[in-house]
Amino acid sequence: MATYGRNTLAHLIPVAILVVGAGSLAACGNGEAESGDGAGPDESRGVYAEVRAREVADAWDGSEAAGVWREGYHPVEDVVEPPEGGFHDEADERAFETGNFALRGGLPDLPREDGEVKWQRGGSLTLPLIGARQAYETLDRGDPDGPGLTVTGARLGEMTHATSRGPATVPAWLFTVEGYETSLTHAAVLPSASPAPPIDAARDPSGSELTALDGLVEVARDGRSVTVLAHHGACDDGPRVRVLETDGSVVLSASVAGAADGPCPGRRDIDPVEVELDRPVGERILLDAFTGRPVPYGRPDGTPAR
């Protein structure tokens, strides 16, 4: 999974074997990545996560599901691009991020049923096109807070963005935005469906040793780190994300560190955690050790991952 994020992304067998060589991690942002050596509570979770991660990697590497995934179209950065040069001011940036749009004028019908995704490294995939109205509705999420952006029309064109198979050129809707000379661009094809995983989700007996990741934010341009979203509560030391690298996959194991005993507010925070890798991601599959599935790009609420 090579790339090239523009704006600088899931964990169990008896603990009979301590897997060696799980890869190194670095701390960043509000969360922390770590290797999990030692003997305290967080360290024992690391052993548990490491064994689960090996099980997930063994299930995926060389599997039919992995082959299906690698043939698909899976973006690893936003499928929406602001007008060239960005927005004029903070108000327009906020309108974009909160989905505060208005439509003045009509939107065109689909000129054809299908479009072609073309990878720069070779290969292509034909997928159904989505209509301009459907694409617009993903932008306009109905938040009327403050000034909004006004769309006055659209036409079908192309855009290039990062995917799990490297940069790809895809059909895109080019929206005309009042006050801007260049278009706001939205991919006109949907990501490929994720294949059925070759392993079930983890059954965490403690409810805290492993947690599901909340999404992929970015793959660094050199592929040597990924940034993911992980959640935690109000009475802990934040999320931890460990990594196991194999030739075919990169398995990320999220957990919560330092949870305090006793009553605690029911707040759920989501923080970005940067995970450093021993070698570039390439076309390896980013997997969530808890769910046993590929880590999806974006935030769980559908807002831009930036």
Side-chain angles (χ1 to χ4, degrees):
M1 178 188 273
T3 182
Y4 333 144
R6 171 168 47 86
N7 292 307
T8 138
L9 206 351
H11 309 344
L12 304 161
I13 58 177
V15 184
I17 302 173
L18 174 60
V19 183
V20 180
S24 60
L25 293 168
C28 185
N30 298 319
E32 181 178 337
E34 59 180 32
S35 61
D37 296 331
D42 290 341
E43 289 73 15
S44 65
R45 290 191 188 112
V47 174
Y48 181 81
E50 197 171 359
V51 175
R52 166 64 182 180
R54 174 60 65 182
E55 186 182 35
V56 171
D58 288 346
W60 273 91
D61 290 357
S63 68
E64 181 179 351
V68 171
W69 174 267
R70 291 193 175 92
E71 292 299 316
Y73 162 62
H74 304 288
V76 294
E77 69 174 355
D78 286 340
V79 298
V80 181
E81 291 183 355
E84 187 176 343
F87 293 103
H88 294 330
D89 50 39
E90 291 184 4
D92 282 0
E93 179 73 26
R94 175 173 174 77
F96 171 68
E97 292 179 351
T98 60
N100 187 2
F101 281 77
L103 178 62
R104 191 182 70 202
L107 295 174
D109 295 330
L110 273 176
R112 57 185 186 274
E113 291 185 357
D114 298 322
E116 190 173 28
V117 177
K118 301 176 183 178
W119 280 273
Q120 290 184 4
R121 297 175 183 173
S124 63
L125 182 65
T126 299
L127 293 172
L129 290 174
I130 64 171
R133 170 68 65 172
Q134 182 178 348
Y136 172 79
E137 289 175 351
T138 68
L139 299 172
D140 181 13
R141 297 187 299 278
D143 189 337
D145 183 17
L149 294 166
T150 300
V151 169
T152 59
R155 62 183 177 86
L156 190 63
E158 291 182 333
M159 69 184 299
T160 299
H161 63 215
T163 77
S164 60
R165 296 170 58 179
T169 299
V170 305
W173 287 108
L174 311 183
F175 289 99
T176 304
V177 180
E178 191 173 81
Y180 289 84
E181 295 183 358
T182 58
S183 301
L184 185 156
T185 308
H186 190 305
V189 289
L190 297 177
S192 300
S194 183
I199 187 171
D200 291 334
R203 295 181 179 179
D204 184 351
S206 71
S208 63
E209 294 192 15
L210 289 171
T211 61
L213 289 164
D214 291 273
L216 170 66
V217 175
E218 178 191 36
V219 179
R221 290 185 180 275
D222 62 4
R224 297 298 297 264
S225 69
V226 299
T227 300
V228 292
L229 297 171
H231 64 264
H232 66 103
C235 304
D236 55 54
D237 295 331
R240 300 290 184 266
V241 180
R242 298 172 173 86
V243 62
L244 170 68
E245 298 187 49
T246 72
D247 289 341
S249 60
V250 175
V251 186
L252 302 172
S253 303
S255 62
V256 175
D261 295 330
C264 183
R267 192 179 77 209
R268 184 176 187 268
D269 294 328
I270 298 178
D271 291 339
V273 182
E274 182 180 1
V275 182
E276 294 185 355
L277 306 178
D278 288 337
R279 61 184 189 275
V281 176
E283 294 190 9
R284 294 182 293 169
I285 306 172
L286 285 169
L287 297 169
D288 182 333
F290 185 86
T291 66
R293 295 174 176 271
V295 182
Y297 178 80
R299 295 180 180 271
D301 62 0
T303 58
R306 294 190 302 274

